Amino acid sequence: MSVPTHVLDRLTLLAVVTDAEGNVSYTNPLARNSVAIPLGERFSPIARPAHMRIVKSISGATDRFTTAARVDGRTRLVEWTVSPLERGDILYTGLDVTRDRRSLAVLRESARSAKDASQAKMRFLATMSHEMRTPLNGILGMTGLLLGTSLDSNQTTYAEAIRESGQSLLALINDILDFSKIEAGKLELEKHPIDPRALVQSVAELLSPRAAQKGLEISSFVSKDVADRIMGDETRLRQILLNLGSNGVKFTENGGVLFRIDADAPTKDDTQTITISVVDTGIGISEKDRTRIFEEFAQGDDTQTRNHEGTGLGLSIARQLVDVMGGTLEIDSEPGKGSVFRFSISVATETLDSCAMKQPLMPPTVIVASDNEFLADNLSLQLREVGVREILIARSAKDVLRLASKHPGAALLCDIKIAASGEPVAAQCTKSFVLLSPTARGRLESFKRAGFDGYLIKPIRQLSLCERLCGRAKQDRPTRLRLDTHPDTNKKGDNVTYRVLLAEDNQINAVLATAIVKRAGHHIDVAGNGREALEAFEHAHYDIVLMDMRMPEMDGLSAAKALREKGHTDVPIIALTANASADDRDACKIAGMDGFLSKPFDPDELIEKIERLIREGRTSTGHALSQ
Ligand code: ADP
């Protein structure tokens, strides 16, 4: 043999040498002790002693292979490497990997049980949030009813505090439910055409009352390169924008929050990459915190952020939703200056024919008068986008007068503070508009008397801005529909009394729904479960059924099915449930229900739905399940 055996004897690897026929001519002590290969036995990747089996062959089964040998009741795993020697002899060196493999198996097992535990945790969270919705429905609903009675001012304050706390708790429960869905991989995105301009505007409008309370400005800007319609999940996009925007408002004391969408040009197959940013001029985020805050339940270390309420779930949910959409949520931030949260996603697009914003009738010069730098900057951004060539910023009434005398054809966009200064700013410009917050609408007359041609309500829509400056708008019409105008439920839409049957086992919720339905002028009977609901139909006729899903004896799904089978096919059924998933909605539809309202529900919405479904009636094929 050409390798000196005294070297192999001391090797820390197993060593076996065979002759040209494959018979073992040498084994070193380690090989003898651990795998017990006798001299003269055949040993190769194919032939081996009886107590040994080949576990795995690598590289065409010739130069590396693994064996499992049973010795003294224990299995030893050895990875062999084959090295040819002179005269056809072969040297096999082996590495004992028994311990490594065992550790790997242990690791795999612990990873599996960690995954099981995490799924169990998520199931627990989902069940708990579901269970919490039912009592919360009682708390919020009853408080709403209480606030509708004659209370003195102290009682009103207390009841409003209960309602606000209930609403925060509901937001938290929704967050936890979302979070558990995302973690369990159960989140499915929908795809519908979305109007991106309306989307950012609606989010800006939703946040504007909260921002106005802090004296902050909310702006939105959508570049004209962004398609008129993009395909995506509007609810989830709105949720991301709201989470980021609410943080912006929460962590900003001066300036404001901007929602912004930019885009690459559409590609040939009608897709484009859009970049959505939420910019604020708030406290900013230190470099150390920038990764940490995306973790669930994590909040910034800064003592300033500790003063704010929150759960630490908002960013984690936003990041995971962006991930599911195929993007990455990133932060740019400078402590003390503000933050930008930004992500890019690729979306399918649709282009519509008409776009008022592409009109070329803009005044060439516009003076933007505001002492809020954030507002002035973002208005300038919008004005540039709609084709205004020269934008001049005025920080005071004096500035406006000076600029207007130098630029005689200029139009004026004037923030309320400067407009109310008493200086004749409007008279000096060809067109002048005052910028109002929704609550300042009442002061409109005084601005008209001061010479203003019209007004724009903040947050300002790009389209309204265009229309005003082009002079196309009717000045006496409000610029936008207020999001927060609800139909007045005390006035019943239909002047008819309907007979409503409620199937509900929870006493408090039954009292609540009964009060809401009665207040709207309808008659209501309550059945304690599905079976009682069926029995009620034997004695009376009902125009509509409100059906809880989980009830003892007979649940809502079975009761709905049974009602349809018994020939009550023209009575609409609305599911009232704490279950909020798409699967639940489908199950209700299959069981023959016509509407779905998740608890806690809005009283106005309940009445609107009852009256609409009865008015429209069921079609023979049934309704599409209304939301
Ligand atoms: P929450 O706002 O409920 O605490 P989030 O997950 O939304 O939870 O945010 C986590 C933390 O990130 C916040 O507590 C805050 O420290 C920091 N943060 C988030 N957004 C901003 C922002 N716009 N400006 C400054 N800090 C922010």
Side-chain angles (χ1 to χ4, degrees), residues 28 43 50 57 96 103 105 167 192 250 263 339 496 571 584 625:
N28 75 351
F43 185 75
S57 308
D96 190 331
S103 319
Q167 277 162 347
H192 300 295
K250 198 157 55 164
S339 312
V496 193
V571 185
D584 296 318
L625 201 64

Side-chain angles (χ1 to χ4, degrees), residues 319-339:
R319 188 192 55 180
Q320 299 196 56
L321 287 175
V322 171
D323 278 353
V324 182
M325 290 179 187
T328 309
L329 183 58
E330 289 166 348
I331 318 180
D332 259 352
S333 184
E334 201 176 321
K337 294 250 164 83
S339 312

Side-chain angles (χ1 to χ4, degrees), residues 227-396:
D228 302 322
R229 294 283 180 275
I230 58 172
M231 297 298 290
D233 191 324
E234 183 159 5
T235 313
R236 296 303 181 182
L237 270 176
R238 174 175 285 113
Q239 190 179 3
I240 297 171
L241 289 174
L242 268 176
N243 281 1
L244 299 178
S246 319
N247 278 344
V249 172
K250 198 157 55 164
F251 297 109
T252 302
E253 297 308 321
N254 291 304
V257 177
L258 165 73
F259 295 94
R260 175 176 181 146
I261 310 186
D262 296 277
D264 295 349
T267 56
K268 281 208 185 76
D269 56 354
D270 286 335
T271 59
Q272 70 177 174
T273 302
I274 57 168
T275 300
I276 301 184
S277 330
V278 180
V279 184
D280 68 59
T281 52
I283 59 172
I285 302 161
S286 70
E287 192 161 357
K288 179 166 69 68
D289 277 345
R290 261 171 244 166
T291 353
R292 230 174 53 77
I293 53 170
F294 284 113
E295 289 163 19
E296 55 267 26
F297 305 108
Q299 297 185 306
D301 255 350
D302 198 296
T303 47
Q304 270 182 292
T305 71
R306 291 250 168 261
N307 295 334
H308 296 85
E309 269 187 26
T311 55
L313 276 179
L315 277 186
S316 164
I317 291 174
R319 188 192 55 180
Q320 299 196 56
L321 287 175
V322 171
D323 278 353
V324 182
M325 290 179 187
T328 309
L329 183 58
E330 289 166 348
I331 318 180
D332 259 352
S333 184
E334 201 176 321
K337 294 250 164 83
S339 312
V340 182
F341 286 82
R342 184 184 298 117
F343 62 95
S344 299
I345 48 174
S346 168
V347 288
T349 60
E350 254 175 51
T351 306
L352 305 181
D353 287 342
S354 69
C355 180
M357 282 175 35
K358 287 165 190 159
Q359 296 226 357
L361 295 163
M362 288 293 140
T365 305
V366 174
I367 301 173
V368 175
S370 172
D371 63 353
N372 184 312
E373 196 180 330
F374 179 83
L375 177 71
D377 285 354
N378 289 312
L379 255 180
S380 310
L381 192 71
Q382 290 192 347
L383 288 168
R384 210 162 295 124
E385 191 70 3
V386 298
V388 175
R389 284 204 304 276
E390 192 177 24
I391 300 147
L392 308 166
I393 309 283
R395 299 258 176 256
S396 64

Side-chain angles (χ1 to χ4, degrees), residues 153 188 223 474 504 514-515 596 607:
S153 64
E188 277 169 32
S223 146
K474 290 187 184 65
E504 168 69 86
T514 303
F596 187 101
I607 297 303

